[in-house]
Amino acid sequence: MDKKQARISSYLSTLDHFGKMGKIHSVFKQSLNLMVNEHLINLSASGNFLSSFGAQLSQPVFQEIRPFCQQGNVVRLTQQSLLIYSQVGIKRLSFSDIKIVPLNIGAIEPNMATVMMLKEILTTKQLEKRLGLPGANRERMYFDFLQNPEMDDEKWLALVEYFVGRGKGLTPSGDDLLMGYLFILKLYQHKFYQVLELQLHKMSRFTTDVSWNYLSALLLGYVSSPFIELRNGLEEELPYNELNQLVEAILAIGHTSGSDSCYGLLLGVTALMENK
């Protein structure tokens, strides 16, 4: 990627999608988050992962701006530029070309043979042993419910209240599991996806900023690039080995985030097969 180029999620389309002024929210080795009017924008160095609410810069450009990025620093945004104010100086970053990457899910018709193949792949990963959640009785009860859901608002609310914000890290395990699950239901327009969405809309105060931004994007139909690649692979009905590689790319996300998300995928495809 050229230094004057960037890639941006179609959820944003422009850097100033949420507003013209913001602050540095959090900084990591290969990414950082801006907070703009209570919404996050993830800026990352070039790689295989583009956040649903993110933009991807070249590695040299990211390393160039990182010394100016401390938590709380003010950032001014335009459609194609950033101005970062820091104690070590002011850093301007302008792009001549920002490529919009489509990260909207887009519903597809289920091919049950492909869905069964996905379930088989996920089952081989022994995901329950890799979760960031305990496998106690209450979790087991909710896992059973997600595989055989009912049209009961109170049960969905209790489940969402239990999982949202549960677990450690920037994206708690319970959130990741629900993300994977809702992704499948939304992708195939399963009849229960709107019931789950209705309850998730109430949960903004009960998890981390980063996780809520992922959930918010999903509620609007946007996910990060590894999930879009899986979505496209399912639509194209890729063979087992290629579909397995796409699952492995999701498993590689974070410490347990990938495993938690994939377990949500597994629960989702089971629900899909049991409630066609």
Side-chain angles (χ1 to χ4, degrees):
M1 188 186 303
D2 185 88
K3 289 184 69 173
K4 289 294 183 179
Q5 294 178 323
R7 302 168 72 238
I8 193 167
S9 166
S10 55
Y11 174 53
L12 303 176
S13 296
T14 63
L15 291 171
D16 61 354
H17 177 78
F18 296 124
K20 300 289 187 182
M21 297 295 295
K23 290 186 176 182
I24 305 287
H25 173 274
S26 44
V27 183
F28 308 98
K29 186 176 181 180
Q30 291 292 316
S31 70
L32 60 92
N33 292 306
L34 311 178
M35 178 69 83
V36 184
N37 290 326
E38 299 186 358
H39 296 275
L40 291 183
I41 298 174
N42 177 262
L43 301 181
S44 63
S46 56
N48 295 325
F49 182 90
L50 177 60
S51 167
S52 55
F53 54 90
Q56 202 174 63
L57 320 178
S58 70
Q59 183 70 239
V61 167
F62 184 81
Q63 297 304 326
E64 191 178 304
I65 67 168
R66 198 172 180 277
F68 297 84
C69 297
Q70 291 81 38
Q71 189 174 19
N73 287 358
V74 172
V75 180
R76 185 186 296 273
L77 305 96
T78 70
Q79 289 189 356
Q80 291 189 290
S81 70
L82 299 172
L83 195 63
I84 305 168
Y85 298 87
S86 77
Q87 292 183 345
V88 296
I90 299 173
K91 181 64 178 178
R92 180 183 296 276
L93 182 60
S94 299
F95 299 100
S96 59
D97 177 36
I98 298 183
K99 179 184 177 182
I100 298 173
V101 179
L103 295 182
N104 52 308
I105 296 172
I108 61 176
E109 286 292 325
N111 177 306
M112 296 315 294
T114 304
V115 172
M116 288 177 65
M117 186 191 301
L118 176 60
K119 183 177 181 181
E120 181 183 344
I121 290 168
L122 291 165
T123 302
T124 66
K125 306 302 180 185
Q126 298 184 308
L127 295 167
E128 288 193 23
K129 297 178 181 179
R130 303 165 67 171
L131 296 180
L133 292 166
N137 290 340
R138 195 164 182 187
E139 283 83 11
R140 177 58 51 200
M141 176 185 71
Y142 286 133
F143 294 160
D144 290 343
F145 178 82
L146 289 171
Q147 293 176 87
N148 296 280
E150 304 169 19
M151 196 64 73
D152 186 320
D153 287 349
E154 289 187 5
K155 288 184 178 179
W156 279 106
L157 178 59
L159 180 148
V160 165
E161 287 180 337
Y162 183 77
F163 279 122
V164 171
R166 186 167 295 274
K168 299 177 181 179
L170 290 172
T171 58
S173 293
D175 298 17
D176 289 325
L177 184 144
L178 291 178
M179 284 272 297
Y181 185 79
L182 180 56
F183 166 74
I184 287 292
L185 266 58
K186 203 173 178 78
L187 175 63
Y188 291 115
Q189 297 290 284
H190 189 280
K191 60 185 178 182
F192 288 111
Y193 89 86
Q194 291 175 319
V195 184
L196 175 54
E197 286 190 335
L198 181 65
Q199 303 306 333
L200 281 172
H201 275 293
K202 305 171 184 177
M203 296 292 114
S204 62
R205 298 181 182 178
F206 296 94
T207 189
T208 65
D209 290 337
V210 172
S211 195
W212 179 245
N213 275 265
Y214 278 116
L215 286 169
S216 295
L218 175 56
L219 290 171
L220 291 172
Y222 296 86
V223 288
S224 300
S225 56
F227 290 91
I228 288 298
E229 289 166 12
L230 176 62
R231 175 242 180 262
N232 294 340
L234 291 168
E235 184 177 42
E236 295 167 17
E237 301 174 13
L238 293 180
Y240 186 100
N241 288 344
E242 293 181 39
L243 207 58
N244 182 61
Q245 289 176 7
L246 299 178
V247 170
E248 286 290 338
I250 295 176
L251 278 171
I253 299 171
H255 182 56
T256 66
S257 287
S259 298
D260 297 324
S261 296
C262 281
Y263 193 62
L265 296 177
L266 178 58
L267 297 175
V269 294
T270 303
L272 185 70
M273 295 171 67
E274 296 295 327
N275 299 269
K276 298 174 188 175

